[in-house]
Each structure stands twice: as C-alpha cells, then as structure tokens.
Amino acid sequence: MTTTVPVLVFMGPAGTGKSTVAGMLAGRLGWDFQEGDDLHPAENVAKMASGHALTDDDRWPWLDRVAGWIDGQVRTGRPGIITCSALKRSYRDVLRRDDVTFVLLMGDPKLVLERLLRRQGHYMPPSLLTSQFETLEMPDADEQAIRVDLDLTPGEQVQTVIDRLQLTHTPS
C-alpha cells in the first residue's frame, strides 16, 4: 500500500499573505515549513529588488528548487508547507505531485496593494504587483487546488484550509 504525504503549496501574487498564513498553519499542524522566496537564486532577488519582473527563464531554476524541497518532504515521509507564487499553470506543472495541493490566497488587488505598501524588509516592490495579477492563471479543475478569500483574517484562513482539506496535527 502506498501512502501519500501531504504537501501544500501556498500560491498567489505577492502581498496575499502566503508566508503569514502558511507559517501559522505549519505551526498549528506541526508540519515543516519552507519560505519559497528563500530558494530564489541571488540574481532573481536582485532583479526583483531593482523593479524588474522575472521571466520564465529566471523562474525555472527556482521552481526546480521548490520541487526539490517538495520531493524531499515526500521522500522522508514528512508533511510540509511551502510558499511559491506559482502564477502560471506551467509553473504549477513543475510542482504538481499526487500529494501536492495548491492553496490560492486571493482577493481584491487593491487590498493586496495596500498590504504591499505596508510591508517592510521585502525585496518585491509594489510596482511589480500588476504584472503578477496579469500573469496569474487560475488553477483549472484538473489541478488539486483550493481558493481561500483574503477577506478572512489569517486565523480564519488557516481554519478554512484545515476544514476544507481535513488536515490534522502531525506529532514530531
């Protein structure tokens, strides 16, 4: 019998709260957590920090690193949560596995912009938000994905994910 290890990929444009909600959920469930932005090559970070959107060619090495983290979780039998914008289906195709569920945090772009303008210490400038929403391809029915509304508080978003995916705490 093959068992699958759940891995959640929190996806969506910058400023939607992926890191906050994913970190809260990982803490509540006792699951491993990886901030996907930390896997970006230095060249990508520099490019975004200078106000330039990444190209597909820029993203492939990063997506390979994210996929490697997912594979490591599955290989070691540990559930996990990682953040990754995963804006296009072709990006999600690199990350898709039987055990991966995408969690799209989504809401009004004006709300997201307000959040980005308040955020400090992150290299992603608010000027790139429009390109992220333009790039976003909503998950199709054949992709394991759920959508969580940004109008909910982070705590409510965490509970929504737990309820919709019927998740339970995993002891260490």
Side-chain angles (χ1 to χ4, degrees):
M1 177 171 98
T2 303
T3 59
T4 60
V5 176
V7 176
L8 305 182
V9 176
F10 273 71
M11 63 167 286
T16 55
K18 295 182 296 290
S19 298
T20 298
V21 178
M24 288 174 63
L25 181 62
R28 184 151 166 204
L29 296 175
W31 291 11
D32 293 341
F33 172 67
Q34 174 64 54
E35 172 56 60
D37 283 345
D38 292 346
L39 300 177
H40 268 295
E43 303 81 39
N44 286 7
V45 173
K47 187 172 184 176
M48 287 184 282
S50 70
H52 295 87
L54 297 179
T55 66
D56 284 352
D57 287 339
D58 296 324
R59 283 191 174 90
W60 299 128
W62 172 58
L63 291 166
D64 287 341
R65 289 178 179 182
V66 172
W69 187 88
I70 291 169
D71 291 340
Q73 292 303 115
V74 173
R75 194 170 39 257
T76 60
R78 295 189 51 85
I81 299 172
I82 189 167
T83 59
C84 175
S85 54
L87 298 173
K88 290 184 180 181
R89 182 187 177 107
S90 60
Y91 305 162
R92 293 189 298 275
D93 287 347
V94 172
L95 308 177
R96 279 205 291 173
R97 313 283 187 277
D98 290 341
D99 2 52
V100 169
T101 299
F102 294 96
V103 178
L104 172 62
L105 299 181
M106 201 56 194
D108 184 346
K110 290 179 186 173
L111 172 63
V112 177
L113 178 59
E114 288 173 15
R115 289 178 174 192
L116 272 181
L117 291 171
R118 287 193 310 262
R119 184 162 75 176
Q120 297 187 14
H122 195 276
Y123 55 79
M124 178 74 173
S127 61
L128 293 180
L129 183 61
T130 300
S131 72
Q132 289 217 327
F133 274 99
E134 289 170 353
T135 301
L136 178 63
E137 296 172 0
M138 300 302 275
D140 289 320
D142 66 332
E143 296 179 84
Q144 280 184 198
I146 64 169
R147 179 181 168 150
V148 179
D149 198 322
L150 292 183
D151 288 339
L152 302 173
T153 67
E156 291 169 333
Q157 291 172 337
V158 166
Q159 192 60 52
T160 296
V161 174
I162 289 170
D163 293 346
R164 291 192 52 203
L165 298 178
Q166 301 177 347
L167 302 174
T168 57
H169 182 271
T170 303
S172 305

